[in-house]
Amino acid sequence: MEKEKLYQKISQEILENIGGSQNIQGAAHCATRLRIVLKDLSLVKTDKLENIDLIKGCFIAGSQLQLILGAGTVNEVYKVFAKEAKLENMSLSDVKDIAAKKENPLQKVIKALSDVFVEIIPAILAAAILLGVTGFLANFEAVKTNQTLYAINRLAFLASVGIFAVLPMVVVYSATKRFGGRAILGIVVGAIMLDGSLANAYSIGTPGFNPEILDLFGLKIQMVGFQGGIIVALMMGYIVATLDKFFEKKIPSVIKLLISPMLTVFISTFLLFTIVGPVGRELSNYITGGLVYISTEFGMIGYMIFAGLQQIIVITGLHHILNAAEAQLIATTGRDFLNPLMSVALISQGGAVIGYYLLHRKDKKVAEIALPSFVSILFGISEPAIFGVNLKHKFPLVAGCIAGAIAGAFVYIFKLTSLGFGATAIPGLSIIDPANNGYINYIIVHLIGIFAGIVLCYFIGKVKTKKTIEEVKTEIKENKNIEEISLIPPVNGEVKDVSQSSDQTFASKAMGDGILVNPIDEVFVAPADAKVELVFPTKHAIGLTLKDGSQILIHCGINTVTMNGEGFETYVEEGQEVKQGDKLVKMDLKKVQEAGHSTQTLIIVNEVGQGSKVIVDANSKTPIIIKKA
């Protein structure tokens, strides 16, 4: 029951800071995050959301607000949140569909590429693990000489290479399905790409390579297969789906079953060998050649740059594009040098999280966020660490990027590659190429990333803290020298001396000198640069500390404390720095009057800085002046 009340409170606070349930288009949750699709993102108050109990961080991706709550907790909070927000129970795919409608063209392309490989990655991971294990076991004499062990290892090897032999066909299948076509037609076109009667693409450039050449209206077409043609497969999946949807819509129902799939397959085959294949093959060569060129020509520097910036790419969401590049590398070279770099980039951010925790180890809130985030990093999940700690505080992200670059240098030195992609950190060990002491070196580079992340974050944090202390000392010194502070009225309306207030306590100036305003507007702003010291729970009053140490109180309405916050909305929180004119609070004048209260607002100087005095002139544009005596 206590947990139910806590989740209810959390849900209500979330709604308060996202513009209410009327601003929600849909909500669901994944393994660790509450995902909310919003109509207007400008209503989101991320700074307040991050301070709600159990929320470890928040970020906006596209039109989705994502709140990191952690595995298990998110399920329970979602149940209560859905009830509080009066939402129809939606699945994660429903929410993604709603969010997709609001994506720009680039976001749609990136998401499409990601979706194509989501279904394929489990098969690639399984094959890569088996390939690594069989390659490792093949080095042992016992496996070579024992018939049973050899047979098991041989069958395991066969199971490991199967997916790579038909990878283009699998990609066409997945892409066709993703773009809304019938997946079976994608399989058919994928099979055509790998047909045995075609010359093998891997034989191009070898002695005796002499493929059949067709003459189509003077166009010479080489009948070469598309082994390793992942980019071609992606393009063909889109074409098959587009043609299938077109013919299904245009052809009469009577002949649709016979004509529609035939036209789709034939036209797709024609386009494959005349336009898409040649263009896609060149594009694949550029991608693979470019990546190999970077790894060979730029060497260690190239590895360091990629590992240093990879998690920045993750934050933007552009990392999904790399799935296609990794698949092309695997299909062309049999190895993926990007995956270990991504893994050390990730683990280095984990080291930075620990470094930040060590800087604030006495803060329970930091421990609650940092430690579980590091555990998530170990299993390849970076969002809690990135958005809950590193990006939020900035310098841990920088430390993690530098540490990633350092670890990336050792990936180059150790010649680390993977046999697949889609798994990093601890799970990534299972797909590492065992050549060149791969397993041991993989562990070493990750320890380097963690240690470098911890040291750099701790060092940068210490330097930053020292600099902040010096800045505070300087500010205090400067504040002592402030001769005069002029306060503007916090709201438009009639200004009078506080002695004319209808509240005798304020009128007597027992609480301090000041002014009153009979407001005609509802939004109240900061009268001067200040720090928010107090926000009353009922939202009707705010206390500010000015630059010279003087303290003022802005009290909205008379006896409005009894309204318990109804009709009031605050824009600031305690500890926040504000500039003159920044919004502080909104008071619904009509609601206050309907409740039988006066809207008369008081601005009182509770305490003046040492050696200062208060001058009040209700007729002035700056009716309160605090100056040195």
Side-chain angles (χ1 to χ4, degrees), residues 494-517:
E494 182 186 21
V495 180
K496 294 181 179 181
D497 191 279
V498 72
S499 61
Q500 298 180 52
S501 173
S502 58
D503 186 297
Q504 290 305 308
T505 304
F506 288 113
S508 67
K509 301 189 179 182
M511 296 185 68
D513 205 352
I515 60 170
L516 68 85
V517 183

mmCIF file of all heavy atoms in Angstrom, residues 494-517:
data_model
loop_
_atom_site.group_PDB
_atom_site.id
_atom_site.type_symbol
_atom_site.label_atom_id
_atom_site.label_comp_id
_atom_site.label_asym_id
_atom_site.label_seq_id
_atom_site.Cartn_x
_atom_site.Cartn_y
_atom_site.Cartn_z
ATOM 1 N N GLU A 494 -1.741 48.376 -10.304
ATOM 2 C CA GLU A 494 -1.607 49.549 -9.458
ATOM 3 C C GLU A 494 -0.651 49.260 -8.301
ATOM 4 O O GLU A 494 -0.807 48.279 -7.580
ATOM 5 C CB GLU A 494 -2.987 49.937 -8.897
ATOM 6 C CG GLU A 494 -2.967 51.182 -8.037
ATOM 7 C CD GLU A 494 -4.323 51.451 -7.376
ATOM 8 O OE1 GLU A 494 -5.123 50.492 -7.265
ATOM 9 O OE2 GLU A 494 -4.556 52.589 -6.959
ATOM 10 N N VAL A 495 0.359 50.151 -8.120
ATOM 11 C CA VAL A 495 1.380 49.970 -7.078
ATOM 12 C C VAL A 495 1.118 50.960 -5.946
ATOM 13 O O VAL A 495 0.905 52.153 -6.181
ATOM 14 C CB VAL A 495 2.803 50.176 -7.649
ATOM 15 C CG1 VAL A 495 3.843 49.995 -6.542
ATOM 16 C CG2 VAL A 495 3.073 49.228 -8.812
ATOM 17 N N LYS A 496 1.147 50.460 -4.709
ATOM 18 C CA LYS A 496 0.967 51.305 -3.525
ATOM 19 C C LYS A 496 1.987 50.925 -2.460
ATOM 20 O O LYS A 496 2.590 49.840 -2.529
ATOM 21 C CB LYS A 496 -0.453 51.133 -2.951
ATOM 22 C CG LYS A 496 -1.571 51.629 -3.864
ATOM 23 C CD LYS A 496 -2.927 51.438 -3.176
ATOM 24 C CE LYS A 496 -4.060 51.948 -4.042
ATOM 25 N NZ LYS A 496 -5.382 51.795 -3.358
ATOM 26 N N ASP A 497 2.154 51.795 -1.465
ATOM 27 C CA ASP A 497 2.996 51.475 -0.317
ATOM 28 C C ASP A 497 2.347 50.352 0.469
ATOM 29 O O ASP A 497 1.117 50.269 0.583
ATOM 30 C CB ASP A 497 3.170 52.703 0.577
ATOM 31 C CG ASP A 497 4.243 52.485 1.618
ATOM 32 O OD1 ASP A 497 3.938 51.839 2.653
ATOM 33 O OD2 ASP A 497 5.380 52.945 1.409
ATOM 34 N N VAL A 498 3.144 49.463 1.041
ATOM 35 C CA VAL A 498 2.622 48.307 1.761
ATOM 36 C C VAL A 498 1.749 48.719 2.948
ATOM 37 O O VAL A 498 0.886 47.956 3.406
ATOM 38 C CB VAL A 498 3.783 47.384 2.212
ATOM 39 C CG1 VAL A 498 4.562 48.016 3.358
ATOM 40 C CG2 VAL A 498 3.255 46.013 2.619
ATOM 41 N N SER A 499 1.944 49.926 3.456
ATOM 42 C CA SER A 499 1.139 50.407 4.604
ATOM 43 C C SER A 499 -0.336 50.508 4.260
ATOM 44 O O SER A 499 -1.189 50.582 5.148
ATOM 45 C CB SER A 499 1.662 51.769 5.073
ATOM 46 O OG SER A 499 1.561 52.723 4.020
ATOM 47 N N GLN A 500 -0.679 50.502 2.943
ATOM 48 C CA GLN A 500 -2.077 50.588 2.517
ATOM 49 C C GLN A 500 -2.699 49.215 2.280
ATOM 50 O O GLN A 500 -3.813 49.110 1.772
ATOM 51 C CB GLN A 500 -2.177 51.434 1.252
ATOM 52 C CG GLN A 500 -1.711 52.870 1.440
ATOM 53 C CD GLN A 500 -1.832 53.676 0.158
ATOM 54 O OE1 GLN A 500 -2.897 53.709 -0.463
ATOM 55 N NE2 GLN A 500 -0.743 54.340 -0.230
ATOM 56 N N SER A 501 -1.987 48.173 2.672
ATOM 57 C CA SER A 501 -2.506 46.813 2.480
ATOM 58 C C SER A 501 -3.727 46.559 3.357
ATOM 59 O O SER A 501 -3.832 47.076 4.472
ATOM 60 C CB SER A 501 -1.415 45.784 2.800
ATOM 61 O OG SER A 501 -1.937 44.485 2.785
ATOM 62 N N SER A 502 -4.624 45.724 2.840
ATOM 63 C CA SER A 502 -5.819 45.353 3.614
ATOM 64 C C SER A 502 -5.480 44.332 4.694
ATOM 65 O O SER A 502 -6.295 44.055 5.568
ATOM 66 C CB SER A 502 -6.887 44.778 2.674
ATOM 67 O OG SER A 502 -6.366 43.648 1.962
ATOM 68 N N ASP A 503 -4.285 43.754 4.634
ATOM 69 C CA ASP A 503 -3.826 42.818 5.670
ATOM 70 C C ASP A 503 -3.005 43.605 6.694
ATOM 71 O O ASP A 503 -1.944 44.148 6.360
ATOM 72 C CB ASP A 503 -2.973 41.719 5.026
ATOM 73 C CG ASP A 503 -2.585 40.629 6.006
ATOM 74 O OD1 ASP A 503 -1.873 40.955 6.973
ATOM 75 O OD2 ASP A 503 -2.963 39.472 5.790
ATOM 76 N N GLN A 504 -3.498 43.663 7.907
ATOM 77 C CA GLN A 504 -2.876 44.492 8.932
ATOM 78 C C GLN A 504 -1.456 44.062 9.272
ATOM 79 O O GLN A 504 -0.614 44.891 9.621
ATOM 80 C CB GLN A 504 -3.749 44.498 10.206
ATOM 81 C CG GLN A 504 -5.051 45.264 10.054
ATOM 82 C CD GLN A 504 -4.812 46.692 9.578
ATOM 83 O OE1 GLN A 504 -4.018 47.437 10.156
ATOM 84 N NE2 GLN A 504 -5.487 47.071 8.495
ATOM 85 N N THR A 505 -1.171 42.777 9.186
ATOM 86 C CA THR A 505 0.186 42.296 9.487
ATOM 87 C C THR A 505 1.185 42.899 8.522
ATOM 88 O O THR A 505 2.255 43.381 8.915
ATOM 89 C CB THR A 505 0.250 40.756 9.414
ATOM 90 O OG1 THR A 505 -0.723 40.205 10.296
ATOM 91 C CG2 THR A 505 1.632 40.247 9.796
ATOM 92 N N PHE A 506 0.841 42.877 7.230
ATOM 93 C CA PHE A 506 1.725 43.469 6.235
ATOM 94 C C PHE A 506 1.726 44.996 6.339
ATOM 95 O O PHE A 506 2.766 45.630 6.210
ATOM 96 C CB PHE A 506 1.299 43.032 4.824
ATOM 97 C CG PHE A 506 1.610 41.593 4.506
ATOM 98 C CD1 PHE A 506 0.590 40.670 4.311
ATOM 99 C CD2 PHE A 506 2.917 41.161 4.403
ATOM 100 C CE1 PHE A 506 0.871 39.349 4.013
ATOM 101 C CE2 PHE A 506 3.213 39.831 4.101
ATOM 102 C CZ PHE A 506 2.183 38.928 3.910
ATOM 103 N N ALA A 507 0.519 45.563 6.555
ATOM 104 C CA ALA A 507 0.389 47.030 6.626
ATOM 105 C C ALA A 507 1.213 47.625 7.759
ATOM 106 O O ALA A 507 1.742 48.747 7.652
ATOM 107 C CB ALA A 507 -1.075 47.421 6.760
ATOM 108 N N SER A 508 1.354 46.869 8.825
ATOM 109 C CA SER A 508 2.117 47.366 9.979
ATOM 110 C C SER A 508 3.624 47.327 9.738
ATOM 111 O O SER A 508 4.403 47.823 10.554
ATOM 112 C CB SER A 508 1.789 46.531 11.218
ATOM 113 O OG SER A 508 2.283 45.208 11.058
ATOM 114 N N LYS A 509 4.033 46.736 8.652
ATOM 115 C CA LYS A 509 5.449 46.566 8.291
ATOM 116 C C LYS A 509 6.218 45.726 9.310
ATOM 117 O O LYS A 509 7.446 45.796 9.385
ATOM 118 C CB LYS A 509 6.138 47.921 8.100
ATOM 119 C CG LYS A 509 5.500 48.779 7.011
ATOM 120 C CD LYS A 509 6.318 50.025 6.694
ATOM 121 C CE LYS A 509 5.651 50.825 5.578
ATOM 122 N NZ LYS A 509 6.442 52.023 5.202
ATOM 123 N N ALA A 510 5.456 44.888 10.037
ATOM 124 C CA ALA A 510 6.094 44.002 11.014
ATOM 125 C C ALA A 510 6.979 42.983 10.308
ATOM 126 O O ALA A 510 7.981 42.505 10.862
ATOM 127 C CB ALA A 510 5.032 43.286 11.837
ATOM 128 N N MET A 511 6.622 42.649 9.075
ATOM 129 C CA MET A 511 7.395 41.660 8.305
ATOM 130 C C MET A 511 8.448 42.331 7.430
ATOM 131 O O MET A 511 9.254 41.658 6.801
ATOM 132 C CB MET A 511 6.456 40.813 7.439
ATOM 133 C CG MET A 511 5.499 39.963 8.258
ATOM 134 S SD MET A 511 4.510 38.869 7.238
ATOM 135 C CE MET A 511 5.752 37.742 6.634
ATOM 136 N N GLY A 512 8.404 43.691 7.372
ATOM 137 C CA GLY A 512 9.375 44.420 6.577
ATOM 138 C C GLY A 512 8.717 45.446 5.690
ATOM 139 O O GLY A 512 7.498 45.440 5.490
ATOM 140 N N ASP A 513 9.523 46.364 5.156
ATOM 141 C CA ASP A 513 9.004 47.421 4.292
ATOM 142 C C ASP A 513 8.807 46.874 2.880
ATOM 143 O O ASP A 513 9.395 45.854 2.495
ATOM 144 C CB ASP A 513 9.987 48.591 4.274
ATOM 145 C CG ASP A 513 9.307 49.908 3.937
ATOM 146 O OD1 ASP A 513 8.107 49.872 3.580
ATOM 147 O OD2 ASP A 513 9.964 50.952 4.054
ATOM 148 N N GLY A 514 7.983 47.568 2.087
ATOM 149 C CA GLY A 514 7.787 47.106 0.718
ATOM 150 C C GLY A 514 6.618 47.774 0.039
ATOM 151 O O GLY A 514 6.212 48.884 0.401
ATOM 152 N N ILE A 515 6.060 47.083 -0.961
ATOM 153 C CA ILE A 515 4.951 47.619 -1.742
ATOM 154 C C ILE A 515 3.859 46.568 -1.885
ATOM 155 O O ILE A 515 4.062 45.385 -1.586
ATOM 156 C CB ILE A 515 5.414 48.051 -3.151
ATOM 157 C CG1 ILE A 515 6.002 46.842 -3.913
ATOM 158 C CG2 ILE A 515 6.402 49.201 -3.081
ATOM 159 C CD1 ILE A 515 6.277 47.097 -5.384
ATOM 160 N N LEU A 516 2.693 47.009 -2.369
ATOM 161 C CA LEU A 516 1.640 46.088 -2.769
ATOM 162 C C LEU A 516 1.281 46.412 -4.203
ATOM 163 O O LEU A 516 1.457 47.548 -4.662
ATOM 164 C CB LEU A 516 0.424 46.204 -1.846
ATOM 165 C CG LEU A 516 -0.416 47.490 -1.889
ATOM 166 C CD1 LEU A 516 -1.463 47.461 -2.997
ATOM 167 C CD2 LEU A 516 -1.126 47.686 -0.552
ATOM 168 N N VAL A 517 0.790 45.393 -4.924
ATOM 169 C CA VAL A 517 0.338 45.577 -6.302
ATOM 170 C C VAL A 517 -1.034 44.942 -6.447
ATOM 171 O O VAL A 517 -1.242 43.799 -6.018
ATOM 172 C CB VAL A 517 1.312 44.923 -7.316
ATOM 173 C CG1 VAL A 517 0.835 45.194 -8.740
ATOM 174 C CG2 VAL A 517 2.733 45.416 -7.137
#
